[in-house]
Amino acid sequence: MIEPDGFIIHGAPVNSRESLRLRGRDEPCSTFQGGDMSNITPRTMGQQFGRRSWAEPWKIKMVEPLRMIGRPDRERALAEAGYNTFLLRSDDVYIDLLTDSGTSAMSDRQWAGMLLGDEAYAGSRNFYHLEEAVQTYYGYRYLTPTHQGRGAEHLISRALIKPGMYIPGNMYFTTTRLHQELAGGVFVDVIINEAHDPTNMHPFKGNIDLNKLADLIARVGADKIPYVSLAGTVNMAGGQPVSMANVRAVRELCDRHGIRIFLDATRMIENAFFIQEREEGYAATPIAAILKEFCSYTDGAWMSAKKDNLVNIGGWLAVNDSELFDTLRNMVVIYEGLHTYGGMAGRDMEALAIGIAESVEEDHVRSRVGQVRYLGELLTDWDIPIVQPVGGHAIFLDAKRFYPHIPQDQFPAQRLAAELYLDSGIRAMERGIASAGRDPETGDHRYPALELTRLTIPRRVYTQAHMDVVAESVKAIYDARTQTRGLKMTYEPQYLRFFQARFEPL
Ligand SMILES: *Cc1c(COP(=O)(O)O)cnc(C)c1O
């Protein structure tokens, strides 16, 4: 499946440097779709297709000018922001890699759909388009729109979790776990151990450890487990995928105990790409078909449409059980809006319906994941420490190995994000000790195993040239790493401190 030094490429080449590089090796590189390609090697691939380079599968119709402020202004802006990239104004940012949430570029078709908004309070035609898109591409029967992903998490958690219940999942996500806890549940991480090791090359680091799940069922009893909370891909582990074999096995185990499975489908399309690329038997299966098969092993899904689905705002919740849907439909009118808009404008539902169809297109997914990988390979070629394998939506710089001389309580990942901004106006996000907060019992910092700085790539927004600029900036601060000192925290909010904390250089 995976070569020791890289990935086998199925289908047309992604914009991976692997597909550009002439490696001088002669082994066949893949089982390509549409024909016997067993004689094709990296060297002959370009000749066979009459091409070798890759380009973004879109052209630019409207541009948003970027502005790069000078170094003295960046120094002033960063000091004013307390060395916290969350507190920068976006006008002072050159390339914004803070998040891939709601930052995608919509297509001309989506913008055209915005003008077809039917803003009727009830029964908007755009709702029916959205319902049809979710049924067609994800395969679930009943749909409730929500204002964004956490709205859907709130509804499903409140509907199914009772105090004292346990919710097993493949690593937590912040809002998901919080809603499960607010409903009285206890989240239990059952992801495989490999997920916690940034250098482990397991191809499916998002997988659930079946023994951990079986142990939990044996310990607390199936009636205390309302559902398994399965995410594809796993954001906090570095955008790592779940295999089809794993979800099938989880389904089997859950069926034996009558436990439901709900999917956090936020980046499930990127997950489907990795299955096509890496899992035996899926090389010739379209991403859309992989997505639908994966969803068929689950009982429903919640979605932050701001990620995979290519819109700036929106979400949805879809289930197969009509009784559960009745409950959810009753709740949505309290917390979100009527069941045919759930907090979304008609025009936004239309853009989302179109975005769903676009988000499963092979060229799109290949270039999306390929762009992330391209950046990862540039950095890897320069021996810059990142989480491996590169996931679907972001590059995670390993700040512990980047700044080994900065102790963790001097915020190496926060400092790394600050240095990147100073060097080039690029905005990244800390995912380390500042994000982890304090232990409520002892009041000490939590010291997470992973001290990371995340470079998150928005969809269809930046070009390969922007990725070159990002890589070169990371390289520049890496070359100067021994002179870089840590930070001290000068202001610490009580909750979710990473959003608003302030720092000063030591
Ligand atoms: C963003 C995200 C959510 C929450 O969705 P919002 O639209 O931000 O409310 C849930 N799960 C995952 C994996 C996410 O990345």
Side-chain angles (χ1 to χ4, degrees), residues 157-158 160-168 176-188 224-227:
S157 303
R158 263 185 110 104
L160 294 178
I161 299 170
K162 295 190 183 66
M165 286 185 160
Y166 297 85
I167 304 92
T176 316
R177 182 175 68 182
L178 191 55
H179 280 296
Q180 291 163 352
E181 289 172 350
L182 288 171
V186 176
F187 178 83
V188 182
K224 282 269 163 44
I225 300 176
Y227 59 90

Side-chain angles (χ1 to χ4, degrees), residues 100-101 147-151 153 173 175-176 231 233 235 264 266-267 302-307 314:
D100 66 332
S101 180
H147 76 285
Q148 57 184 81
R150 70 198 67 183
E153 291 171 339
F173 183 72
T175 57
T176 316
T233 60
N235 188 353
D264 183 336
T266 298
R267 295 186 186 80
W302 64 84
M303 180 76 189
S304 172
K306 304 172 70 172
K307 321 299 189 359

Side-chain angles (χ1 to χ4, degrees), residues 75 185 220 231 236 266 279 348 382 415 433 487:
E75 283 170 2
V220 305
M236 303 298 273
T266 298
E279 193 158 354
D348 289 332
W382 289 328
R415 183 72 210 223
I433 189 169
L487 295 171

